[in-house]
Amino acid sequence: MRVGIATDHGGFALKEELVASLRAAGHDVTDFGAYALNPGDDYPDFVTPLAEAVVAGKVDRGVAICGSGVGASVCANKIHGIRAALIHDHFSAKQGVEDDHMNVLCMGGRTVGPAVAWDLVQTFLAAEYSDAERHLRRLSKVATLENS
């Protein structure tokens, strides 16, 4: 799978570990930065290009990280067509894709350890959207909100 990943300083170490794990698992990874640990950087500078790449189809799914994951989630969801969520548990990583067609997983580099993060990413990437009528109906309503 083509996976994009982005972070600011708050998730830099976690991003580096996830990039290595994703590549070792055979994924085609696009790293949107940060490329160095810089305490003065800002998550929108990295998360925005990631989200735009997901919408443009340049990557299949995205992983966005900041210190808590909240800012990355807020930022990603400002991009039309993104369905991002802050995820801390296995169930939500899977259900977010299956029911809500989540295309960007957000995590906190200061709140989720590397082993849990890797489990969440694997679960997110393995999940598939269900196309169930009720999910399509709900996403249509969300799209109406997004377009208004």
Side-chain angles (χ1 to χ4, degrees), residues 4-146:
I5 190 166
T7 190
D8 64 359
H9 60 279
F12 183 76
L14 181 58
K15 181 201 65 123
E16 293 295 295
E17 288 192 42
L18 289 174
V19 166
S21 296
L22 285 162
R23 287 186 174 143
H27 295 286
D28 178 11
V29 180
T30 302
D31 185 345
F32 290 89
Y35 305 110
L37 182 57
N38 176 357
D41 63 16
D42 298 317
Y43 59 82
D45 297 333
F46 309 105
V47 173
T48 302
L50 164 67
E52 290 171 341
V54 171
V55 171
K58 294 177 181 175
V59 296
D60 300 310
R61 296 204 187 147
V63 176
I65 309 166
C66 66
S68 67
V70 173
S73 178
V74 169
C75 179
N77 278 310
K78 296 298 181 186
I79 305 302
H80 185 81
I82 290 298
R83 292 170 304 281
L86 175 58
I87 301 295
H88 291 107
D89 64 277
H90 186 268
F91 174 80
S92 298
K94 184 174 190 273
Q95 181 271 336
V97 175
E98 291 177 346
D99 293 8
D100 304 307
H101 210 203
M102 178 174 67
N103 53 15
V104 175
L105 170 78
C106 300
M107 292 184 291
R110 296 178 181 141
T111 62
V112 178
V116 171
W118 178 233
D119 180 55
L120 297 176
V121 168
Q122 290 180 92
T123 301
F124 167 65
L125 296 179
E128 295 183 23
Y129 182 57
S130 72
D131 277 331
E133 185 277 327
R134 68 184 184 279
H135 299 146
L136 290 168
R137 183 182 68 244
R138 293 169 188 159
L139 282 178
S140 176
K141 291 177 181 183
V142 171
T144 299
L145 290 170
E146 188 176 48

